[in-house]
């Protein structure tokens, strides 16, 4: 069994996530997606949408239209489905999610009862070609966001079971098409068992996370019940290809394995330059909040779900990564061509004298990427403000 210090594990994680070393830029957006395995989607857009921020954090100032084209292109090179959450996934991973498509088909329910007319919706897509919810009467019934129309429920369930697929968006609306028209025939023909799906997905998750506990892998793939049991069995048997490691300081029973790693990642020590960047709240680097605290000592909560009067750090607080550590957080906004840091802070024990330049670099780089030419900090500790004001930009 390989023993790792917590710092060694952290650096392996950063390299695996494309945030340490030059190799992370190989293959551009497509290469990044395949290394990460899954990129979460979210409706919230502050500086940019999360799937764009994930690319920016790793690749720098790649044009946002280029990022969009790389995700949603014709022919499809990716598709949307349920991994950790609603995610963009490489098209070649289509067969690996057949276990989940079968489970949805068996349940015939997710958040809503499936309407009776889904076959008519399927026939409409077959006859008319790709469509959005607006083509079938709209997504809403007029109530809260979850008050979906029957047509929206039907289309989403057909996507869940694999009859339909979303491989592009128009105006942030999903475009639904027959999977047989989008997914290459050789991928459609792969017929994997539940165990084969979990084995291959666990290997992908392990490579993306770098070093991961059993709970980290479960969280990445959102496995429950029988599927979680399959993961446990295949980890112990070695079928996933991941090897047991022991990370100092991570929770464990004395002398026992407390994490898993891709053996290839253990063959060389991570080298190269660390990225300095803002990190999306929906970035896979920090998906699992317990893991974020374990790896970085960073206690993080996305406060947009917290009542305004109870927020500590702000509505859409983004961690700041520098020197391989999460050094602080910013609540960003835009005011015309100004990037506004409504609140900016360093982690306890860190000083403006040492880290203000890194915070400034992260803010200015993000500003330039989204087309802003000034940065305004509205609130920060006096020590930090003093050092930021010394920045000549």
């Amino acid at each position: 069994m390989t023993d790792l210090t917590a710092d060694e594990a952290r650096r392996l994680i950063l390299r695996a996530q494309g945030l340490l070393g030059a190799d992370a830029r190989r293959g551009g957006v497509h290469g990044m997606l395949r290394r990460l395995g899954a990129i979460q989607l979210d409706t919230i857009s502050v500086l940019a949408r999360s799937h764009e921020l994930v690319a920016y954090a790793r690749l720098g100032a790649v044009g946002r239209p280029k990022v969009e084209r790389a995700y949603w292109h014709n022919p499809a090179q990716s598709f949307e489905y349920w991994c950790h959450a609603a995610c963009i996934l490489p098209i070649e991973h289509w067969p690996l999610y057949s276990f989940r498509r079968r489970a949805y088909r068996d349940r015939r329910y997710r958040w809503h009862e499936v309407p009776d007319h889904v076959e008519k919706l399927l026939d409409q897509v077959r006859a008319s070609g790709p469509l959005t919810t607006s083509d079938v009467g709209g997504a809403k019934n007029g109530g809260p966001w979850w008050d979906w129309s029957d047509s929206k429920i039907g289309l989403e369930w057909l996507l869940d079971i694999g009859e339909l697929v979303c491989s592009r968006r128009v105006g942030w609306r999903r475009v639904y098409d027959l999977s047989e028209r989008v997914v290459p025939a050789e991928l459609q023909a792969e017929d994997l068992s539940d165990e084969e799906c979990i084995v291959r997905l666990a290997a992908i998750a392990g490579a993306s996370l770098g070093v991961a506990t059993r709970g980290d892998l479960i969280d990445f793939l959102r496995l429950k019940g029988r599927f979680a049991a399959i993961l446990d069995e295949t980890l112990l048997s070695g079928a996933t290809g991941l090897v047991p490691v022991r990370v100092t300081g991570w929770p464990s029973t004395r002398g026992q394995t407390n994490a898993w790693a891709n053996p290839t990642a253990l063959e060389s020590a991570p080298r190269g330059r660390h990225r300095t960047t803002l990190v999306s709240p929906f970035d896979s680097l920090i998906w699992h909040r317990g893991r974020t605290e374990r790896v970085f000592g960073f206690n993080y909560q996305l406060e947009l779900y917290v009542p305004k009067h109870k927020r500590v750090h702000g509505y859409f607080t983004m961690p700041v990564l520098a020197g391989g550590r999460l050094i602080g957080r910013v609540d960003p906004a835009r005011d015309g061509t100004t990037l506004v840091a409504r609140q900016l802070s360093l982690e306890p024990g860190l000083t403006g004298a040492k880290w203000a330049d890194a915070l400034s670099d992260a803010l200015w780089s993000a500003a330039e990427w989204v087309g802003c030419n000034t940065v305004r900090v509205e609130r920060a500790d006096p020590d930090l403000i003093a050092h930021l004001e010394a920045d000549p930009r």
Side-chain angles (χ1 to χ4, degrees):
M1 184 191 304
T2 300
D3 288 308
L4 298 171
T5 66
D7 275 351
E8 288 170 337
R10 177 179 51 81
R11 289 173 59 82
L12 288 168
I13 288 164
L14 288 165
R15 181 175 66 181
Q17 280 280 301
L19 294 162
L20 170 59
D23 286 350
R25 298 179 65 88
R26 285 186 296 105
V29 179
H30 294 305
M32 178 203 67
L33 173 59
R34 278 147 186 81
R35 282 189 290 276
L36 293 182
I39 294 175
Q40 186 173 343
L41 292 158
D42 196 82
T43 58
I44 298 169
S45 180
V46 176
L47 297 181
R49 293 201 187 272
S50 183
H51 62 281
E52 298 169 321
L53 291 166
V54 168
Y56 162 73
R58 289 154 178 81
L59 304 176
V62 178
R64 292 171 65 185
K66 184 176 181 179
V67 173
E68 294 293 320
R69 287 194 299 272
Y71 287 142
W72 293 294
H73 191 62
N74 189 17
Q77 299 191 51
S78 59
F79 71 105
E80 294 183 23
Y81 199 64
W82 303 101
C83 180
H84 170 82
C87 289
I88 304 172
L89 305 165
I91 193 70
E92 60 267 26
H93 291 184
W94 171 266
L96 310 185
Y97 289 87
S98 57
F99 82 101
R100 188 156 280 156
R101 295 192 289 268
R102 287 190 291 264
Y104 278 131
R105 189 182 291 271
D106 290 344
R107 282 183 66 192
R108 200 176 170 81
Y109 179 86
R110 184 157 54 88
W111 295 325
H112 308 82
E113 294 288 348
V114 178
D116 294 330
H117 72 293
V118 290
E119 290 300 327
K120 292 181 180 179
L121 282 170
L122 191 58
D123 289 342
Q124 186 172 348
V125 179
R126 185 173 288 113
S128 304
L131 54 77
T132 68
T133 51
S134 62
D135 297 317
V136 290
K140 300 284 189 67
N141 280 331
W145 68 266
W146 62 84
D147 186 23
W148 286 358
S149 67
D150 280 355
S151 294
K152 170 69 171 176
I153 295 168
L155 289 171
E156 285 294 301
W157 189 72
L158 289 168
L159 183 144
D160 287 346
I161 65 174
E163 296 290 345
L164 299 181
V165 66
C166 174
S167 62
R168 63 187 177 96
R169 286 182 176 241
V170 175
W172 195 242
R173 291 174 298 173
R174 278 179 170 162
V175 177
Y176 302 87
D177 199 359
L178 297 178
S179 58
E180 64 200 53
R181 286 200 289 241
V182 175
V183 181
E186 63 272 19
L187 297 177
Q188 290 270 2
E190 281 197 59
D191 185 20
L192 303 180
S193 68
D194 290 353
E195 181 173 341
E196 288 171 324
C197 292
I198 302 299
V199 163
R200 289 171 61 175
L201 285 171
I204 290 165
S208 173
L209 294 174
V211 182
T213 65
R214 181 255 189 196
D216 296 338
L217 296 169
I218 289 284
D219 180 75
F220 188 105
L221 299 169
R222 290 291 167 89
L223 300 177
K224 296 180 180 179
R226 182 169 62 88
F227 299 131
I230 291 174
L231 175 68
D232 291 337
E233 292 168 5
T234 55
L235 282 173
L236 291 175
S237 72
T240 63
L242 302 177
V243 297
V245 296
R246 188 167 46 218
V247 182
T248 304
W250 288 20
S252 67
T253 302
R254 178 171 297 192
Q256 298 298 309
T257 295
N258 62 358
W260 303 84
N262 183 322
T264 304
L266 299 175
E267 291 175 358
S268 62
R271 302 181 187 281
R273 185 177 179 180
H274 287 286
R275 291 284 296 157
T276 297
T277 184
L278 305 185
V279 178
S280 165
F282 306 106
D283 194 301
S284 54
L285 180 71
I286 56 171
W287 268 348
H288 188 310
R289 304 313 193 207
R291 172 180 169 87
T292 303
E293 187 161 10
R294 182 187 342 124
V295 174
F296 296 103
F298 192 86
N299 189 338
Y300 180 61
Q301 180 182 15
L302 180 56
E303 295 182 349
L304 63 89
Y305 304 116
V306 175
K308 187 173 182 179
H309 69 281
K310 292 185 177 180
R311 290 175 188 155
V312 176
H313 296 287
Y315 172 79
F316 193 77
T317 310
M318 298 179 69
V320 181
L321 179 71
R325 302 180 184 278
L326 296 177
I327 64 166
R329 53 196 97 199
V330 58
D331 183 26
R334 290 184 65 174
D335 181 9
T337 58
T338 298
L339 187 152
V340 180
R342 291 183 291 197
Q343 185 165 330
L344 182 66
S345 62
L346 283 168
E347 285 298 279
L350 303 185
T351 65
K354 182 172 182 179
W355 293 104
D357 285 350
L359 286 178
S360 183
D361 287 345
L363 291 173
W364 277 97
S365 295
E368 291 165 5
W369 177 59
V370 298
C372 292
N373 53 30
T374 55
V375 171
R376 183 173 78 242
V377 177
E378 292 186 341
R379 183 180 174 191
D381 292 336
D383 169 67
L384 185 53
I385 286 286
H387 286 91
L388 290 171
E389 288 177 345
D391 191 325
R393 285 177 286 189

